[in-house]
Amino acid sequence: MAGFYEYRQMVPHPIIVEARQIAPNQILITYDQRTDLASATNVSNYWIRSNMGPVGIATVGMNDALMAENAIRPNMAMITPADNSRMRYVMTFRVNAMSGVMYIVLPCFVNLEGMSGFRGGNWGPSSRNMFIGK
């Protein structure tokens, strides 16, 4: 596993700064650097973890591994730029987040603007990527 972490540290990549619920079915996602538009708006590069398991907007439970099969699917949600910053995106779901449920937004494979090939997670110890559904 050391190889994965060394690789992750060597490849520059954006980190999620904050995920915040802005409507019953919307999350505002903010990155620390400008992102590659194609990878940031690919909804299949995102997972939502929940303490209630894969229900509602969540695709994985607390102990589930992140796999292609349990990523967010295009029939579940879409993600679009919130502005022209390439750092802020709005994810809109077909269903509402459940009130009182803890959610964790886990983006992977999102590249920096002008780059490609990052194969890790886009969160870190200072990411505020957890919210309680309203």
Side-chain angles (χ1 to χ4, degrees):
M1 205 59 159
F4 170 77
Y5 290 107
E6 289 167 10
Y7 169 77
R8 186 175 164 169
Q9 290 172 356
M10 289 173 35
V11 177
H13 57 278
I15 299 291
I16 188 171
V17 173
E18 181 182 33
R20 184 169 45 93
Q21 186 178 1
I22 57 172
N25 69 330
Q26 290 186 319
I27 301 168
L28 176 65
I29 297 169
T30 306
Y31 288 97
D32 67 341
Q33 299 175 72
R34 289 176 60 90
T35 60
D36 165 68
L37 192 60
S39 62
T41 57
N42 179 353
V43 76
S44 297
N45 285 344
Y46 294 82
W47 288 258
I48 306 284
R49 182 164 274 160
S50 142
N51 63 337
M52 297 293 288
V55 295
I57 67 169
T59 60
V60 291
M62 296 307 281
N63 296 318
D64 298 337
L66 304 184
M67 301 180 296
E69 296 79 32
N70 58 21
I72 297 173
R73 302 242 183 271
N75 66 342
M76 298 170 65
M78 61 185 274
I79 184 165
T80 55
D83 52 31
N84 291 323
S85 69
R86 290 197 178 214
M87 295 170 63
R88 295 165 32 95
Y89 297 89
V90 174
M91 187 175 294
T92 304
F93 293 88
R94 292 189 186 269
V95 298
N96 292 343
M98 294 173 61
S99 179
V101 173
M102 181 184 74
Y103 294 103
I104 305 170
V105 178
L106 301 170
C108 293
F109 321 131
V110 176
N111 290 280
L112 286 174
E113 183 177 36
M115 298 183 74
S116 64
F118 177 64
R119 300 303 305 156
N122 293 96
W123 67 90
S126 60
S127 295
R128 294 187 316 263
N129 56 334
M130 187 272 296
F131 66 93
I132 305 295
K134 305 185 222 177

